[in-house]
Amino acid sequence: MSILIALASSSSGSSSYVYLNTLFFVAIFLFYMLLALPGPGTKINMMFLSRGIEAQLSQIETYLKDSKKKMQEVLASKGVQKPDEVIDRVSEIFTIDPVSVEPTDIIGRMRLMLRTTEDKIRDIMELSAPNIDPVTRSKLEVSAEVVNTLNMIHKVIRHYLLSAKKTNSIFILYQLQMVVPQLVKLSEAYSKAMNTFMKGIPVGDSLGPLVAANLLMNSQNKWNPSRDTVAGEVEYEDRKLVVVKAEGPMATVGRPGEAVANVIEEYKGNVKRIITIDAALKLEGEDTGSVAEGTGVAMGDPGPEKIAIERVAVKYGIPIDAIVVKMGMEEAITEMRKPVFDASSKVMDMLRRIIQERTKPGDLVVVVGVGNTSGVAQ
């Protein structure tokens, strides 16, 4: 009798398990059928997509608020009465590209727009804190650029998210879903860069200025060929080098293109070679700190500075060499990693080889250390 009861109980439990299992799969099937329907399915998909994008947008907003807070603390420490107003002003500054339909002198017009924006940010900082020192001012200028960029990323993503909801466009959400993770990663890198620049320490992009500074240590003749940029003469391998870099230890890239053009004109074009040294974004799979040699101006510039070197090189027939050190985006704008620092010795070896192989004793060579010279003097 007890055996029959046990068998009955076992049979009942097994039936319940099968029933629940079947019910679960039926529910899943009906859910996917519901998703396949044009109306309800689209709304459910939009709900899940929107929540995911909103969570990522919230991350970007957090990075933006943190960056604003850090900038506010520095401004307040320098006696600025209303730091919030200053931050709100610089975060909304924008630059309109020049007309490209008529390309005549588009570089000159672009240079004017970019430099006007730079001067505007500098003027705002100097008017807000009249007694600010150049190094702190440069940190605030870079911070303003970081806040401005994060603010723009946040506003653009928010715009398309709200537009997608307003128009019930799932295709906009699909596109956002693909690009937002990359923008979150970029925003995180900019947020970390804020801390680095505020500390005034070298970043990965300071590799070019670091190499130039090593050469300039032995220079007895230094001058400023353009704003925020320094040049100096040095004897090297029986040649005369004119080394150009942004003026440190301020957080600035200077005006290397204009500086090189002025230097070459000053020496009446008697230059045998131009060698540019800069950081370069690596491809996935490449090692941080790997060094490569190429031809052309190694410079991450919208155009005006880079073309200034190209034009003066064409005018006097001067070959241009490029040496780059590979690194990721975050590595370029945050504190300099050891592999990047170690690469400076490899760059010096490659520089020496280029000079020995492609110039003769007594020749004049211009070497340009391109990049942000935060924390790197000369």
Side-chain angles (χ1 to χ4, degrees), residues 214-287:
N214 288 334
L215 293 169
L216 285 172
M217 287 175 64
N218 299 321
S219 175
Q220 301 299 321
N221 179 24
K222 300 176 186 177
W223 69 98
N224 296 100
S226 63
R227 193 175 84 172
D228 297 338
T229 312
V230 66
E233 289 184 356
V234 61
E235 295 295 325
Y236 185 80
E237 297 293 325
D238 298 323
R239 283 82 166 168
K240 178 185 286 186
L241 303 187
V242 178
V243 183
V244 179
K245 69 178 286 289
E247 188 174 11
M250 297 181 293
T252 178
V253 296
R255 294 179 177 177
E258 182 180 81
V260 170
N262 291 340
V263 164
I264 292 176
E265 292 293 351
E266 186 175 342
Y267 286 90
K268 304 185 186 306
N270 295 319
V271 176
K272 295 300 180 183
R273 211 159 196 95
I274 301 171
I275 304 174
T276 56
I277 304 167
D278 195 11
L281 289 178
K282 68 174 183 176
L283 301 175
E284 290 298 330
E286 290 187 305
D287 295 328

Side-chain angles (χ1 to χ4, degrees), residues 211 340-350 352:
V211 174
V340 176
F341 176 79
D342 292 341
S344 61
S345 60
K346 300 176 186 177
V347 173
M348 289 298 296
D349 292 339
M350 186 173 288
R352 183 180 295 106

